[in-house]
Amino acid sequence: MNLYFRKLNYISIISIIRKDNRWENFLKKQGKHPVSSSKFWKKIKFYEPKDKGIKTLKVGGNIYFSDEEKANLFKEILKETFNEERQGNKYDEEHHNSTTESVENEIKNTSNKERIKLFSLNELNKAIKELKNKASHGIDEVSNILLKKAPESFKIEMLKLFNQTLAQSKVPDDWKNTIIKMIPKSTNEPHNPKNYRPISLTSCIAKLCERLIANRLREILKKNKIIIKQQSGFRFKRQTKDNLAFLIQKTQESFSRKKKVAAVFFDISQAFDKVWHCGLIKKLIDHKIPIIYIKWLMEFLKLSKKYNKINPGYSEYCT
């Protein structure tokens, strides 16, 4: 908290120099012993300089100045990252081929006449309520705020669409179109294209349907006790911080008992982007996930056009 108050004093000095009493009033409202510094950092973030685009990129002896050159460079990097064939070749060829064949046979021979539990209006309304207002929209420019304020008649039509896409295992092509924004990592090398991570902005309507599918899958995974209790990421009311707190606690206990502690960490580069889709589907089949959801996921994972947005003034399509 000492650092927090030093920053408060620094802001106070700046506000006096600028003859601006807004910061003074804000700091006085926080009191001498604020319970949380969240309001302070929220204020700081508001005044942070906005992103002015991607800086000049350098690869080897080549320099990329224009937005077109940057877009084409990132397009090639993304193609390499999302290349499913390249990922598959990293596995043992025999295992890769047998897994692919097994998935194809399972999908082909499994009846699609299983009883489908359609999404209800209550499920939809609950999912809409959980949407974040500030989430960015996709190419269709339909925002979460629009979905939240939509009339009941619109929600009913949207519900029909979601149930139809699930029943037919078909995903609209527009839902697969993605705006990819390259976000700089926290690094001192903004000219290195490898220090940027892609953020995919898809349709908010598509993400709402994904949320409904995800909620159903969570119910199945929980009911069948498929996920181990040590898994914290991507779980309801759980965070990866839980495992960090557990590690710190066990480490302190061991030190207190004069014992040694050993830990092994794996940091896999672009782990999410390099997931082998066929292997993922095979695991879902092995865990007896209803085939209707598996077919929908397979359709959703098919490659599509990606709208590579570099700066507000330039974009490039890549597949």
Side-chain angles (χ1 to χ4, degrees), residues 6 27 37 47 81 83 104 111 156 253 266 271 289 300 311:
R6 285 203 298 271
L27 296 175
S37 61
Y47 286 101
T81 300
N83 189 334
E104 291 176 351
S111 173
I156 291 174
E253 289 177 2
F266 287 96
I289 302 299
F300 184 79
N311 282 334

Side-chain angles (χ1 to χ4, degrees), residues 239-289:
Q239 301 181 47
T240 52
K241 296 176 184 176
D242 297 343
N243 286 0
L244 181 60
F246 177 81
L247 175 63
I248 293 173
Q249 178 187 350
K250 291 301 178 182
T251 302
Q252 291 176 337
E253 289 177 2
S254 298
F255 285 171
S256 299
R257 296 168 183 172
K258 297 182 179 180
K259 294 183 178 181
K260 296 181 180 179
V261 177
V264 179
F265 299 89
F266 287 96
D267 185 5
I268 303 174
S269 175
Q270 299 173 324
F272 181 81
D273 300 329
K274 294 180 179 178
V275 170
W276 181 28
H277 291 171
C278 188
L280 175 62
I281 297 300
K282 181 66 167 61
K283 287 183 178 293
L284 294 176
I285 293 173
D286 291 343
H287 285 296
K288 309 300 181 183
I289 302 299

Side-chain angles (χ1 to χ4, degrees), residues 78 111 210 234:
L78 291 173
S111 173
E210 288 178 53
F234 305 102

Side-chain angles (χ1 to χ4, degrees), residues 3-4 7 37-46:
L3 177 62
Y4 168 64
K7 289 183 179 292
S37 61
S38 60
K39 291 183 178 180
F40 171 79
W41 292 114
K42 186 176 181 180
K43 198 82 169 177
I44 290 292
K45 191 173 182 179
F46 178 80

